[in-house]
Amino acid sequence: MNDSTAWFHINNAAGIDSPALLVFPQRVQQNIDTAIAMLGDVNRLRPHVKTHKCTEVAAMMIAAGIHKFKCATIAEAEMLGMAGAKDVLLSYQPGGPKLQRFIELIKKYPGTSYACLTDNTASAKEQAESFTAAGLTVPVYIDLNIGMNRTGIVPGDAALELYRFCAAAPGIAIQGLHAYDGHITNSDFEVRKIEADACFQQVELLAEKIKANKLPPPNIIMGGSPTFSIHCERPGIECSPGTFIYWDQSYLLHCPEQAFVPAAVLITRVVAIPTATLVSTDLGHKSVAAENEKTKRVFFPQHPYLTVFSQSEEHLVLENNSGHIFKPGDLLYAIPWHICPTVALYESVHVVEDGKVVGVWKNVARDRKITV
């Protein structure tokens, strides 16, 4: 693959400062179409917008017939309201000041139906009282802990009683169950499926108990990107992948059964050649997600022999044992290992069509607050 034939090559790179994040709308559209096709029913798709944080991308999804969304922050929820989304789940349990912001958001965007999560009676009581005081009845889902051990209540009798409490609480309109299995990431699809099936069985059993107790039958929102190809086969289940919209190097390697394509790349430039075998670029910690160990932060598709030697705030130093000669100013294209937190490092993305940067989209929900 050379510079002129690579799908990510841009002809007007000389005018683009680096590091920068490029987005390719045609490939974004391809990923949207693939996700809908995998489900066979656009009404079962509730994409998470944490990856793109962008009104223009949300508008592309809405134009494709997607009307249900999931988000993690008030800013992301407001971005969806700005885009005209009809149904938005804040996949977070709001309390205290965040709960008051959520109420303000609901009132500011009456054309959007907002819902949230709860996982314990005390929080549900606070939500119910706050919603009632504001003159609202708000859809709420019970957040389940099915192994992620981050938030949620373990499926069982306590979860059933929480569902019962919410079904009776003024200010709350109980909607169903939310279960995220982000801990299931095995690259072996069969192992991943066994683990995902076991998690879903817990949710399914609780749903059966809810119906047996003559409580409102629950909608089920299940999974993320690694298990999307598994849960999409379950009739009636809503799926909420997020990374699919841009995809990244990690999922390219670990989820090969999913036909999504990378739709965002980084550009970086060589800034120095400190030794005969080291190449220093401007892709530091501030420019690409750095939570993984250093060899799993970025991949150079045109130069796969480059390995990470070190990284600091403003520099990524690469080891080059290939004999290829680099010089300061050389442009490199890189696919992030983890696209979601990488996007959060950029105020905006450069939009590429037909090999040229043609505009800029702002990652408006990158900010912690838009107006609310």
Side-chain angles (χ1 to χ4, degrees), residues 12-313:
N12 55 346
I16 307 299
D17 196 8
S18 60
L21 185 61
L22 312 178
V23 167
F24 300 75
Q26 289 180 326
R27 294 172 76 89
V28 170
Q29 186 64 54
Q30 180 179 339
N31 287 339
I32 292 171
D33 295 342
T34 297
I36 294 172
M38 287 174 69
L39 279 164
D41 179 2
V42 71
N43 294 311
R44 292 179 52 218
L45 183 59
R46 185 183 287 273
H48 203 313
V49 303
K50 65 174 183 174
T51 301
H52 62 81
K53 303 178 185 293
C54 177
T55 309
E56 287 84 354
V57 177
M60 290 180 68
M61 292 182 172
I62 292 170
I66 299 168
H67 63 274
K68 299 176 183 178
F69 294 89
K70 192 166 91 167
C71 62
T73 69
I74 298 293
E76 290 170 2
E78 182 168 9
M79 181 271 290
L80 287 166
M82 293 164 59
K86 293 180 181 178
D87 181 338
V88 175
L89 170 63
L90 176 67
S91 59
Y92 206 91
Q93 178 169 257
K98 196 178 299 294
L99 180 55
Q100 296 309 310
R101 288 180 67 199
F102 185 54
I103 289 170
E104 184 180 347
L105 178 75
I106 292 170
K107 291 184 174 182
K108 183 166 184 176
Y109 296 93
T112 300
S113 174
Y114 286 102
C116 69
L117 301 181
T118 200
D119 71 4
N120 67 89
T121 303
S123 294
K125 186 172 184 292
E126 180 191 10
Q127 291 171 358
E129 291 175 350
S130 297
F131 295 151
T132 300
L136 301 172
T137 299
V138 178
V140 171
Y141 287 79
I142 304 300
D143 188 26
L144 299 178
N145 178 7
I146 53 173
M148 187 74 179
N149 294 327
R150 182 177 66 184
T151 63
I153 185 170
V154 175
D157 291 342
L160 176 62
E161 290 310 307
L162 177 59
Y163 196 95
R164 191 192 308 277
F165 174 87
C166 290
I172 287 179
I174 191 66
Q175 297 296 299
L177 306 172
H178 169 269
Y180 177 58
D181 51 12
H183 60 293
I184 300 175
T185 58
N186 199 297
S187 57
D188 185 320
F189 176 77
E190 293 304 321
V191 172
R192 203 178 340 134
K193 186 177 186 307
I194 290 169
E195 294 174 346
D197 288 346
C199 284
F200 180 71
Q201 189 175 27
Q202 300 176 58
V203 180
E204 193 173 37
L205 181 59
L206 176 59
E208 291 171 357
K209 288 182 179 179
I210 288 169
K211 288 181 280 189
N213 279 266
K214 302 189 184 307
L215 294 167
N219 298 317
I220 297 175
I221 301 173
M222 189 79 195
S225 293
T227 55
F228 177 53
S229 52
I230 300 162
H231 297 311
C232 72
E233 300 293 332
R234 308 188 197 280
I237 303 302
E238 289 185 13
C239 297
S240 53
T243 307
F244 80 95
I245 198 69
Y246 289 162
W247 217 225
D248 57 24
Q249 183 66 15
S250 176
Y251 285 151
L252 269 175
L253 296 178
H254 294 119
C255 301
E257 82 285 352
Q258 300 188 39
F260 300 115
V261 296
V265 297
L266 293 160
I267 57 169
T268 181
R269 286 184 170 86
V270 176
V271 296
I273 309 294
T275 75
T277 59
L278 294 181
V279 178
S280 182
T281 73
D282 56 10
L283 199 64
H285 292 149
K286 297 175 182 177
S287 307
V288 64
E291 82 275 20
N292 292 325
E293 54 97 2
K294 65 182 182 180
T295 66
K296 294 182 178 180
R297 294 178 186 172
V298 69
F299 173 72
F300 297 91
Q302 293 173 303
H303 308 285
Y305 48 82
L306 292 175
T307 57
V308 176
F309 176 78
S310 67
Q311 190 177 30
S312 55
E313 290 187 24

Side-chain angles (χ1 to χ4, degrees), residues 304-344:
Y305 48 82
L306 292 175
T307 57
V308 176
F309 176 78
S310 67
Q311 190 177 30
S312 55
E313 290 187 24
E314 306 294 349
H315 298 90
L316 177 72
V317 181
L318 305 168
E319 191 155 14
N320 172 30
N321 293 310
S322 70
H324 183 91
I325 303 300
F326 292 92
K327 61 184 184 301
D330 283 350
L331 183 73
L332 304 178
Y333 296 88
I335 300 176
W337 268 80
H338 195 180
I339 187 63
C340 307
T342 297
V343 170

